[in-house]
């Protein structure tokens, strides 16, 4: 059972100090990696005449980079799950390998890029195995100081912007968004005013259903679900609007007067709906949001809305993901894990 008293309990918070410190350092890691990569990024000069035919990104954060760049990239951008590379990739195509952290799939893709003569942009720690595997005359190494997936993604987008394949953006804006979440979600901020503690308390004994309307908000919802599952050891679902509505419609209406000892249906965990809003206004997002809230109202399902901070696409995404990280941490604390 979830015990919200643990969220302000000094001993319980001390036991989770490592997790909370790691979350608080996200902004610092973005700044550190951006500083470490500054010289290498400065050497990348965008030239329209030397643009690749396409960009193939590989690695754990490749889909995030694609989601940010695909609408504005002047050439086709593919996030390839591997193994290897797509059959059409060749010497006219840029391969971007993100080592966050390194894995055999990324190593195989880098080796395949070298074999095919593809220009290779590698963003990883300079002493990592990926940097060694990917070394070649066609390789450009953009070194980072950490293997934080979000920080590596930020550096990668910054490098591609310098090469003329993405719109310029401020790294500090992303770091500042992470810092703002860290301050408002600090363990020293009590339950009464700490939004992430309140979110953890609201879903503590229920099954979280997570939805984000835009591409980046939907990706943030998946990161939330992964974190909540790890923290609680229980189910958490991030899905499209139609699937969320189907789950809500399959649940019986909540009966506030049901006796969980007499009614086995009432003893089952209820659904707790969390909507992630990254401030993208689109007709399809408004329609899906209305359908989900309508289904929640029909069945008496509780719902919370989480709004991203201000800034560009990546800063708003970072804000949502950081909020989910703290919510998952406090969920684990409240469950005594």
């Amino acid at each position: 059972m979830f015990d919200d008293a643990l969220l302000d309990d000094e001993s319980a918070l001390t036991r989770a100090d490592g997790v909370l410190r790691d979350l608080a350092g996200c902004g610092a890691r973005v700044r550190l990696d951006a500083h470490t990569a500054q010289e290498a990024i400065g050497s990348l000069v965008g030239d329209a005449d030397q643009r690749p035919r396409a960009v193939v990104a590989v690695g754990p954060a490749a889909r995030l980079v694609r989601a940010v760049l695909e609408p504005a990239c002047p050439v086709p951008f593919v996030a390839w799950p591997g193994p290897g590379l797509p059959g059409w990739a060749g010497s006219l195509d840029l391969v971007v390998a993100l080592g966050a952290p390194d894995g055999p799939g990324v190593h195989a893709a880098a080796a395949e890029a070298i074999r095919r003569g593809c220009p290779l942009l590698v963003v990883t720690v300079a002493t990592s195995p990926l940097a060694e595997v990917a070394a070649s005359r066609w390789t450009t190494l953009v070194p980072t100081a950490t293997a934080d997936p979000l920080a590596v993604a930020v550096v990668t987008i910054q490098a591609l912007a310098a090469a003329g394949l993405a719109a310029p953006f401020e790294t500090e804006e992303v770091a500042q968004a992470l810092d703002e979440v860290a301050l408002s979600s600090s363990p020293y901020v009590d339950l009464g005013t700490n939004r992430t503690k309140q979110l953890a308390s609201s879903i503590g004994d229920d099954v979280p259903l997570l939805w984000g309307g835009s591409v980046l908000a939907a990706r943030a919802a998946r990161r939330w679900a992964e974190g909540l599952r790890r923290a609680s050891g229980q189910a958490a679902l991030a899905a499209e609007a139609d699937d969320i509505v189907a789950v809500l419609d399959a649940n019986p209406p909540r009966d506030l007067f049901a006796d969980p000892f007499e009614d086995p249906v009432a003893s089952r965990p209820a659904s707790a709906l969390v909507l992630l809003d990254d401030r993208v206004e689109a007709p399809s997002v408004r329609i899906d949001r209305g359908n989900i809230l309508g289904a929640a109202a029909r069945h008496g399902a509780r719902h919370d809305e989480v709004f991203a901070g201000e800034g560009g696409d990546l800063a708003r995404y970072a804000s949502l993901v950081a909020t989910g990280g703290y919510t998952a941490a406090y969920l684990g604390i409240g469950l005594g894990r």
Side-chain angles (χ1 to χ4, degrees), residues 1-2 11 18 21 45 49 56 61 98 107 115 124 131 142 149 153 170 179 188 226 252 283 295 304 306 327 331:
M1 297 292 291
F2 187 88
S11 60
R21 282 182 181 272
V45 179
D49 295 332
V56 182
L98 293 82
H107 293 180
R115 188 184 70 81
T124 187
V142 177
E170 291 293 331
D179 287 348
Y188 301 107
E226 292 169 0
D304 277 290
V306 179
T327 300
L331 177 64

Side-chain angles (χ1 to χ4, degrees), residues 9 14 37 55 72 104 158 243 275 322:
D9 181 81
T14 299
V55 179
Q158 195 177 31
D243 296 325
L275 306 179

Side-chain angles (χ1 to χ4, degrees), residues 2-335:
F2 187 88
D3 182 2
D4 57 11
L6 293 175
L7 301 183
D8 289 330
D9 181 81
E10 185 176 350
S11 60
L13 293 172
T14 299
R15 289 194 295 273
D17 184 68
V19 174
L20 296 172
R21 282 182 181 272
D22 184 69
L23 290 168
C26 287
R29 290 193 292 273
V30 168
R31 291 187 182 92
L32 178 59
D33 279 0
H35 177 75
T36 304
Q38 187 173 12
E39 183 177 349
I41 290 174
S43 68
L44 300 171
V45 179
D47 187 339
D49 295 332
Q50 297 181 2
R51 280 179 180 167
R53 179 180 60 179
V55 179
V56 182
V58 295
R63 288 188 175 90
L64 169 58
V65 175
R66 182 194 63 187
V68 175
L69 296 190
E70 199 170 33
C73 187
V75 300
F77 196 105
V78 177
W80 189 252
L85 295 174
W88 49 262
S91 60
L92 298 178
D93 306 303
L94 173 65
V95 176
V96 181
L98 293 82
D102 292 359
V106 185
H107 293 180
E112 182 69 11
I114 294 171
R115 188 184 70 81
R116 298 190 194 184
C118 300
L120 182 59
L121 178 67
V122 179
V123 185
T124 187
V125 177
T127 57
S128 69
L130 176 60
E132 182 177 349
V133 168
S136 78
R137 62 179 298 188
W138 307 113
T139 300
T140 300
L141 174 65
V142 177
T144 61
T146 76
D148 183 295
L150 181 56
V152 170
V154 170
V155 170
T156 302
I157 296 170
Q158 195 177 31
L160 292 173
L165 297 171
F169 74 102
E170 291 293 331
T171 302
E172 180 59 27
E173 183 181 63
V174 179
Q176 185 62 37
L178 293 166
D179 287 348
E180 289 173 0
V181 175
L183 287 171
S184 63
S185 303
S186 167
Y188 301 107
V189 179
D190 64 27
L191 178 61
T193 53
N194 190 319
R195 181 72 174 119
T196 51
K197 288 183 180 181
Q198 294 167 359
L199 286 166
S201 181
S202 71
I203 63 178
D205 294 318
D206 296 335
V207 177
L209 301 179
L210 304 146
W211 175 81
S214 71
V215 173
L216 285 174
R219 182 171 181 81
R222 292 192 290 274
R223 300 289 80 76
W224 272 61
E226 292 169 0
L228 294 175
R229 287 194 293 266
R230 286 194 297 266
S232 67
Q234 299 171 6
L237 174 68
E240 300 291 335
D242 290 344
D243 296 325
I244 295 289
V245 169
V247 172
L248 291 171
D249 284 340
N251 287 341
R254 185 189 296 266
D255 183 356
L256 297 178
F257 303 101
D259 186 339
F261 298 101
E262 298 293 336
D263 185 355
V265 174
S267 65
R268 295 190 307 194
S271 297
L273 178 62
V274 180
L275 306 179
L276 305 185
D277 188 338
D278 67 346
R279 305 180 188 277
V280 171
E281 292 293 335
S284 60
V285 174
R286 290 196 296 270
I287 291 170
D288 286 344
R289 182 178 180 277
N291 291 338
I292 291 174
L293 290 178
R298 287 195 302 272
H299 298 282
R302 291 198 311 272
H303 74 275
D304 277 290
E305 295 188 68
V306 179
F307 296 93
E310 301 291 340
D313 292 346
L314 194 55
R316 298 197 304 272
Y317 170 83
S319 173
L320 288 177
V321 170
T323 302
Y326 275 99
T327 300
Y330 290 129
L331 177 64
I333 291 170
L335 290 172

